[in-house]
Amino acid sequence: MPDSYIVYLEDVTIDTKTQVFTAIQLIYGIPSLIMMISTFILISTRKTYANSFYCLVRFDLLTNTCVYLNTWIAIRLEMHPDMVFLLRTIESFFPGSLTIFKYIPYFFFHMHFWTSALLTAHRLSSVLIIHRYEFFWSSWRCRTIIFLTICICSHLPKYLWHGWLYEVYIVNDRLICINFPSALKQGYNVVAFFSIIYACTNITMGLLTAFLVAVKYENSLANKSNTNVSRKLTKISMAYCIAYTSEVMWSVLNSANSYFNFLPDFIVEINTNLLVFASDAFTLSLPYILLIFDSNIKRDLFRKKQESGTGTLVVISN
C-alpha cells in the first residue's frame, strides 16, 4: 500500500449515480436543514423550552447543523468538478482549512455519541436523582465542564493514528488532496472500534432508562400528566438512540469489509455516498423525532391551535 497519493480535485469526473444521489440528498437535506434551524430558533426563544432537557436539545441541533454543513465542504462538493471552485476559494482565503474540514467528520463522529448519550443520561438522572437532576443540568458550570469534556474526548481518538488522513493544498495553482491510505485504514479501524462501544453503551443506557421509567411510574401516585411527560421524553431519547445506531453500524460494516471483502462491488463503488446517507439518517433526524413525540414543538412550528375541551395542557418541558 503506497504511503500517499495525490488527487487533483479539478480533474475528478462525475458519474450519473453521483448526480442522482446528490439530487436525492438535496431533496431531503434542504427541508431538513430548514427544520433544524427553525426548531433551534423556536426552542431558543420560547420560555416553554427553558429547562435543561431542551438546552441539550439545542446543543444537539446546533451540532447536527454544523455536521451537515461540514459534510458538503469535506465530502460532497469535491465529487462535483463544477463545485470545486468553492473549495478552492475557501483554501485560498484560509490556507490549511480544508485539511481541518476533512478531519472534522471524524471529530463529529465521536461527538455524535456524546450528544445522543447526553439526552439519555438526562432521562436516566431524572429517575436516579429526581430532586437534584434539574439543578445539575441547569448549572452553567456543569454545562461548561460537560462541553469541554466532550470536545476533548471527541478529539483524543485522533492520536490512535499517525498524522492526517487527508491534506489539501493549492500547488501550482491547482487544488490537490493528498490521501494517506495507511492512516485512513487505521482511522476506519478506530471508528469501527468506537462504533461498537458507542452503540452498546447507548443502547444499554436507553433500555435501562426505559425500564427504570416504566418501573417508577407503574402504580405511581404521580399525576397522569407528569407520567406522560416523562414517558414522552424517554421516547425521544430512545428514538434518537436508535437513529444513532444506524449511523455507527455502517462504520462497523465498512471497516469489516476492508478485511473480509464481503460487500458486493456495486456497494463498494458507492461507499462514500452510502456513508453520507448513513450520517444524514442520524444528523437530520432530531427535528422529526421532536415533531412525532413533542406536541408543543408540533404546535409551535406549525402554529396549530389547541382543540377546545382537551383538558389540561401538557407541557413536556416540565
Side-chain angles (χ1 to χ4, degrees):
M1 182 178 293
D3 291 335
S4 65
Y5 63 90
I6 296 175
V7 175
Y8 293 87
L9 296 181
E10 286 98 343
D11 296 339
V12 171
T13 58
I14 187 171
D15 54 27
T16 303
K17 286 184 289 189
T18 300
Q19 292 175 320
V20 171
F21 286 140
T22 301
I24 295 172
Q25 291 162 10
L26 287 171
I27 288 171
Y28 70 72
I30 293 177
S32 298
L33 179 62
I34 294 173
M35 280 285 296
M36 281 201 296
I37 295 173
S38 300
T39 306
F40 177 82
I41 294 173
L42 172 67
I43 293 176
S44 300
T45 56
R46 295 291 182 92
K47 292 183 179 179
T48 307
Y49 311 104
N51 81 348
S52 59
F53 181 80
Y54 287 102
C55 177
L56 296 179
V57 170
R58 290 200 303 271
F59 178 54
D60 278 26
L61 289 169
L62 180 61
T63 299
N64 289 343
T65 299
C66 294
V67 170
Y68 181 73
L69 293 176
N70 184 72
T71 60
W72 284 95
I73 298 174
I75 300 173
R76 306 188 212 219
L77 286 180
E78 67 182 37
M79 299 179 186
H80 302 271
D82 293 340
M83 295 290 103
V84 171
F85 78 94
L86 295 174
L87 300 178
R88 180 174 174 154
T89 301
I90 294 173
E91 185 66 19
S92 297
F93 282 99
F94 306 101
S97 60
L98 290 184
T99 297
I100 297 174
F101 279 128
K102 290 186 75 65
Y103 158 68
I104 287 178
Y106 295 86
F107 171 83
F108 276 133
F109 166 80
H110 299 284
M111 183 171 279
H112 261 167
F113 162 72
W114 295 103
T115 58
S116 175
L118 281 178
L119 288 184
T120 309
H122 183 281
R123 303 314 307 144
L124 188 60
S125 66
S126 72
V127 178
L128 298 179
I129 50 173
I130 186 171
H131 299 297
R132 297 284 297 172
Y133 82 96
E134 186 64 31
F135 173 80
F136 172 81
W137 292 104
S138 298
S139 167
W140 278 104
R141 179 179 297 178
C142 293
R143 291 178 184 178
T144 301
I145 293 173
I146 290 172
F147 174 75
L148 292 176
T149 301
I150 287 174
C151 290
I152 293 171
C153 291
S154 297
H155 179 64
L156 285 177
K158 181 191 181 301
Y159 297 103
L160 296 176
W161 69 78
H162 178 70
W164 296 103
L165 305 178
Y166 308 93
E167 292 182 6
V168 182
Y169 304 100
I170 296 177
V171 177
N172 296 327
D173 208 32
R174 302 187 69 184
L175 187 65
I176 68 169
C177 178
I178 304 175
N179 294 256
F180 300 94
S182 296
L184 188 60
K185 187 173 182 179
Q186 293 173 4
Y188 282 155
N189 291 338
V190 169
V191 167
F193 173 75
F194 279 97
S195 294
I196 297 172
I197 294 176
Y198 291 162
C200 293
T201 303
N202 235 14
I203 292 174
T204 301
M205 288 177 60
L207 292 175
L208 178 61
T209 301
F211 172 76
L212 291 178
V213 168
V215 169
K216 177 182 177 181
Y217 289 103
E218 185 179 7
N219 302 321
S220 173
L221 296 179
N223 67 63
K224 185 177 179 180
S225 295
N226 287 340
T227 301
N228 291 336
V229 165
S230 183
R231 287 174 176 169
K232 285 183 179 181
L233 293 181
T234 303
K235 289 178 181 179
I236 291 173
S237 299
M238 286 293 294
Y240 201 48
C241 173
I242 293 170
Y244 173 78
T245 303
S246 70
E247 178 187 30
V248 298
M249 289 313 297
W250 179 252
S251 299
V252 175
L253 288 174
N254 194 50
S255 179
N257 185 67
S258 66
Y259 288 97
F260 303 110
N261 297 315
F262 57 88
L263 292 177
D265 290 340
F266 75 92
I267 295 292
V268 175
E269 290 175 1
I270 58 175
N271 177 54
T272 301
N273 283 291
L274 293 178
L275 181 61
V276 168
F277 280 118
S279 175
D280 287 348
F282 173 73
T283 302
L284 303 176
S285 65
L286 186 53
Y288 301 105
I289 292 173
L290 292 171
L291 280 179
I292 293 171
F293 295 109
D294 191 329
S295 59
N296 291 331
I297 293 287
K298 185 186 298 183
R299 180 199 63 209
D300 290 341
L301 275 180
F302 298 104
R303 300 188 182 280
K304 290 184 176 180
K305 294 182 179 180
Q306 285 281 79
E307 295 181 1
S308 59
T310 56
T312 303
L313 174 65
V314 176
V315 181
I316 75 166
S317 59
N318 290 341

